[in-house]
Amino acid sequence: MKYQFNKNRFLELCNEKNLNLNNIKKALGMSNPKAIISWREGGDIRSEHLMRICNAYDVSPAEFFFKDGQLLVTTT
């Protein structure tokens, strides 16, 4: 078994929910947009930020991971 981080999921989520930088900063309680910009470009997301994202936007953490090349959870 091989698990991998889905580096595209955050950008997909932003597009699905029409999230802009200011909306995200407010929802996650962040002031510096640098990390958010990095995530949109496929950067790694720290676990505490991933949990904030999941709670703020009602998504499963499993949506951010692959197992053996397949998404753990399909997003439709």
Side-chain angles (χ1 to χ4, degrees):
M1 238 182 304
K2 182 177 179 182
Y3 291 95
Q4 293 175 290
F5 184 68
N6 181 357
K7 292 184 176 274
N8 297 316
R9 182 62 187 126
F10 185 73
L11 180 58
E12 292 168 356
L13 180 66
C14 291
N15 291 335
E16 288 168 13
K17 298 191 180 270
N18 295 317
L19 303 175
N20 64 40
L21 194 57
N22 288 328
N23 298 109
I24 298 166
K25 284 182 358 182
K26 184 176 180 180
L28 302 182
M30 298 175 73
S31 58
N32 187 342
K34 190 175 181 179
I36 298 167
I37 293 167
S38 172
W39 304 338
R40 291 180 88 162
E41 295 172 350
D44 290 333
I45 303 173
R46 291 174 38 182
S47 59
E48 68 262 22
H49 290 133
L50 183 59
M51 293 301 99
R52 284 188 199 170
I53 292 165
C54 293
N55 289 324
Y57 299 109
D58 194 30
V59 296
S60 169
E63 293 182 23
F64 288 85
F65 296 93
F66 293 106
K67 176 184 170 190
D68 296 330
Q70 300 294 314
L71 286 173
L72 288 178
V73 173
T74 57
T75 55
T76 52

